[in-house]
Amino acid sequence: MKKYAIFILLTFGLLSSGRKNAQKPNIIVIFSDDHALQAISAYGSPYVKTPNIDRIANEGAIFKNTFCTNSICAPSRAVLLTGKYNHINGQYDNRTGTRINTGQPMFPQYLQHNGYQTAWIGKWHINNHPQHFDYWKILPGQGLYYNPDFINMDSSRVRVDGYATDIITDEALSWLDTGRDGSKPFSLVIGHKAPHREWQPDVQDLHAFDDKTFPVPDNFFDEYAGRKAAQFQLMEIKDLRWDYDLKVNTEDVGYVKRMTSSQKAGWDKYYESENARLDTTKMTPKEVALWKYQRYMHDYMACIISLDRNIGRVLDYLDKKGLSENTIVIYSSDQGFYLGEHGWFDKRFMYEQSLRMPFVMRYPKIIKQKTVINDMIVNLDFAPTILELAGVTVPSDMQGKSVLPLVQKGKVPVKWRKSMYYHYYEFPDSHRVMPHFGVRTDRYKLIYFYGDESFWEFYDLNTDPQEMKNGYGDQRNDKIILQLKKELKTLMMQYYDTDALALLEKAG
Ligand code: CA
């Protein structure tokens, strides 16, 4: 009788834990690299249509004010994983010497402890190998667009022929098909290389913009008056390299040499005929800059077409397998990017285009279709959000907050952040963007650049959304600047950024 009772208890226990797992949602995070909001139609892009990213937004929620805490690749991934600032998780920059402890607590570890199977496939970009994943297969470092190498879990390397965005999606779908333990909920990060520099489109997308002229931002020829750090940077489109970046005279370009003959033939067919029309001897420097802008935009947007198509493949797969209802799909990118604003490519600065991140999320069980969220969220919030969705208690040392209270059906108003804190470090490097920290509210932004020289910048985003007029030093702004400095100090204390606090004390 006793044995029978134990048997019943065990069976019931197993069944209920199985049922509990069955009810837990699966989680897919598709995380690309350098995808600007200006290149997503759900965010109003004038340049490109992204029907599949828009589908996630339309069937779920779009967050219109999502910001990163440090606008650069590996640091942003470390924030996604840990829910902590870079001065806590250690990934300050992209340098190869930066090797953080990947054994530190990360969201996949908490998921594993709560019955999840976890995987990361594609771009990883942190110098030590992943931990806390039941499966991973990653690009080494930045990875390649054409015929990329991958690192397997046993550290072996394998070259896979094809186009990175397709291959990463193939690998992800193949893991979903054959690598998954059907008795467990899963969490999968699909990390894309696209649309990172050098913006190498798939051959099939090279003609997607034939006859299109991309509109040029108003401040493309910005001369950076009153903004010393902007004067000092090296990330202008006019300085993009002809060969690697712009695909003119590519005979010595490594990634072209790596192409298969059919890839190379498709590539040459497009670029060689387009390049034949270019004669720089007859062009002014401004005309050359504008030509470079058009080529840059063409290549970047063609990479987006492939990215969006591959996101569609994942959504279609979920539909086909009956997984869409119980699988949360999040699309985001590690930071925003300049698409000619201020004359720039790249990121790093706390100005709007690189500070902003896309963030759309679909989960029909709790999020109404076409939900639009204007509250300010930051990438620190992603890990806590994932954990709360999975029914896991958010560890108290994570520095973000779950965004679920903002999006749940039948939500009640919640007290939410009114400002965000930013800190960029990587210097010196080839782009020469000075280290800086700052605070942004819904209307204002205060930035402190530091290094050999140190100075403040202040912007009123209502009257100067393009951040062209540094209002620091104008006494009409003194009162609000004083408030922002107080807010900055409060945030530094809240997030334990003691190095920055010391700099702030000195700056006054
Ligand atoms: Ca990036």
Side-chain angles (χ1 to χ4, degrees):
M1 187 66 193
K2 220 174 185 182
K3 270 187 186 164
Y4 180 70
I6 288 167
F7 173 77
I8 295 274
L9 276 172
L10 277 174
T11 311
F12 181 75
L14 283 173
L15 278 176
S16 66
S17 88
R19 199 175 301 131
K20 220 162 88 193
N21 275 343
Q23 288 164 350
K24 288 199 174 208
N26 305 307
I27 301 161
I28 295 181
V29 179
I30 305 174
F31 204 66
S32 67
D33 200 310
D34 294 356
H35 193 179
L37 268 64
Q38 311 92 289
I40 298 176
S41 38
Y43 286 96
S45 175
Y47 309 120
V48 69
K49 293 264 180 286
T50 50
N52 292 296
I53 296 172
D54 296 8
R55 188 180 151 197
I56 303 173
N58 288 330
E59 293 173 1
I62 183 166
F63 291 74
K64 291 285 182 86
N65 288 297
T66 307
F67 302 102
C68 60
T69 54
N70 181 6
S71 179
I72 189 162
C73 313
S76 177
R77 281 172 187 74
V79 174
L80 162 67
L81 284 160
T82 62
K84 293 171 188 168
Y85 271 93
N86 297 126
H87 60 270
I88 306 288
N89 63 43
Q91 189 76 49
Y92 290 91
D93 53 42
N94 269 353
R95 294 167 212 243
T96 48
T98 305
R99 301 188 79 88
I100 65 163
N101 169 21
T102 52
Q104 66 184 295
M106 293 179 174
F107 82 79
Q109 175 189 27
Y110 297 107
L111 292 179
Q112 277 182 325
H113 290 166
N114 284 274
Y116 273 78
Q117 192 186 15
T118 61
W120 185 298
I121 293 168
K123 186 167 180 182
W124 164 254
H125 200 217
I126 288 170
N127 288 320
N128 284 324
H129 286 174
Q131 296 189 55
H132 315 306
F133 293 98
D134 297 298
Y135 179 77
W136 56 264
K137 183 167 186 171
I138 56 171
L139 297 173
Q142 293 284 9
L144 294 168
Y145 277 102
Y146 276 91
N147 313 320
D149 289 338
F150 283 83
I151 307 176
N152 294 311
M153 292 180 81
D154 62 3
S155 295
S156 63
R157 286 199 185 208
V158 57
R159 167 177 157 142
V160 183
D161 278 354
Y163 185 69
T165 311
D166 291 341
I167 299 166
I168 290 164
T169 308
D170 293 345
E171 294 283 344
L173 298 184
S174 149
W175 181 79
L176 287 172
D177 250 354
T178 59
R180 205 154 60 83
D181 174 350
S183 71
K184 288 181 172 183
F186 68 85
S187 158
L188 166 66
V189 180
I190 306 175
H192 282 291
K193 173 181 176 58
H196 193 275
R197 195 180 186 182
E198 292 106 352
W199 319 292
Q200 295 156 38
D202 188 353
V203 168
Q204 65 174 309
D205 300 314
L206 285 171
H207 292 276
F209 300 95
D210 282 357
D211 305 322
K212 178 164 174 100
T213 304
F214 293 97
V216 182
D218 297 343
N219 59 354
F220 183 75
F221 290 109
D222 190 356
E223 291 176 346
Y224 319 119
R227 287 156 292 151
K228 279 191 202 167
Q231 289 162 24
F232 191 60
Q233 54 62 44
L234 296 172
M235 44 186 262
E236 290 171 54
I237 286 170
K238 70 177 175 54
D239 299 322
L240 282 171
R241 299 165 301 182
W242 286 107
D243 50 3
Y244 272 83
D245 294 321
L246 299 168
K247 294 87 182 177
V248 177
N249 300 329
T250 54
E251 50 286 347
D252 295 322
V253 168
Y255 68 74
V256 174
K257 288 183 185 169
R258 193 182 168 93
M259 287 176 173
T260 64
S261 55
S262 74
Q263 289 165 347
K264 176 83 167 54
W267 185 269
D268 286 347
K269 190 167 165 243
Y270 175 77
Y271 286 110
E272 285 189 359
S273 67
E274 290 291 314
N275 294 347
R277 292 195 286 232
L278 172 69
D279 180 0
T280 53
T281 60
K282 292 182 184 144
M283 294 161 81
T284 64
K286 277 196 170 180
E287 285 168 340
V288 172
L290 289 170
W291 189 93
K292 286 186 166 185
Y293 169 77
Q294 291 297 330
R295 173 58 56 87
Y296 162 63
M297 291 293 279
H298 168 274
D299 292 352
Y300 184 99
M301 296 307 160
C303 290
I304 298 300
I305 299 269
S306 159
L307 178 65
D308 187 75
R309 178 171 59 241
N310 276 288
I311 292 168
R313 288 178 63 205
V314 176
L315 299 179
D316 290 348
Y317 177 93
L318 296 176
D319 284 347
K320 201 173 92 195
K321 299 288 177 176
L323 289 166
S324 294
E325 278 294 305
N326 198 41
T327 302
I328 296 152
V329 180
I330 289 172
Y331 177 71
S332 184
S333 189
D334 55 355
Q335 19 50 223
F337 214 65
Y338 297 96
L339 299 176
E341 302 86 1
H342 306 284
W344 293 340
F345 65 97
D346 216 70
K347 53 250 182 184
R348 300 161 196 274
F349 278 107
M350 199 194 163
Y351 304 131
E352 288 297 280
Q353 289 80 12
S354 49
L355 179 66
R356 288 180 175 275
M357 309 169 82
F359 190 82
V360 294
M361 174 161 72
R362 183 183 80 175
Y363 185 25
K365 280 189 185 162
I366 65 161
I367 302 172
K368 266 196 229 158
Q369 296 198 348
K370 295 190 190 303
T371 298
V372 177
I373 304 295
N374 288 307
D375 301 86
M376 181 182 283
I377 72 163
V378 291
N379 51 344
L380 293 170
D381 301 332
F382 299 176
T385 302
I386 290 166
L387 293 184
E388 193 179 4
L389 283 163
V392 178
T393 308
V394 179
S396 59
D397 64 344
M398 279 195 176
Q399 294 180 308
K401 295 206 283 194
S402 164
V403 305
L404 277 204
L406 301 175
V407 288
Q408 269 167 323
K409 287 173 188 167
K411 64 171 177 140
V412 288
V414 285
K415 196 167 179 286
W416 198 252
R417 79 165 62 74
K418 299 288 179 213
S419 65
M420 61 81 55
Y421 173 61
Y422 183 85
H423 198 163
Y424 170 81
Y425 300 88
E426 189 171 296
F427 186 86
D429 93 319
S430 55
H431 293 296
R432 233 167 58 180
V433 174
M434 292 174 64
H436 55 290
F437 53 69
V439 57
R440 188 197 189 283
T441 65
D442 62 340
R443 175 163 178 187
Y444 299 108
K445 192 183 289 182
L446 181 72
I447 314 175
Y448 184 70
F449 290 91
Y450 61 91
D452 289 343
E453 255 193 289
S454 304
F455 45 86
W456 291 96
E457 291 186 7
F458 167 81
Y459 299 96
D460 179 342
L461 299 168
N462 278 10
T463 59
D464 180 23
Q466 295 185 328
E467 298 162 290
M468 302 293 283
K469 291 187 291 277
N470 175 11
Y472 195 84
D474 180 336
Q475 62 182 28
R476 284 170 299 183
N477 299 323
D478 284 355
K479 201 173 146 203
I480 179 67
I481 287 172
L482 197 65
Q483 283 174 24
L484 289 168
K485 284 184 178 173
K486 275 190 195 151
E487 183 67 13
L488 189 57
K489 186 173 176 182
T490 303
L491 293 172
M492 284 173 177
M493 286 164 59
Q494 180 187 335
Y495 297 125
Y496 311 106
D497 194 351
T498 48
D499 291 347
L501 263 173
L503 287 164
L504 182 65
E505 293 294 334
K506 234 170 76 183

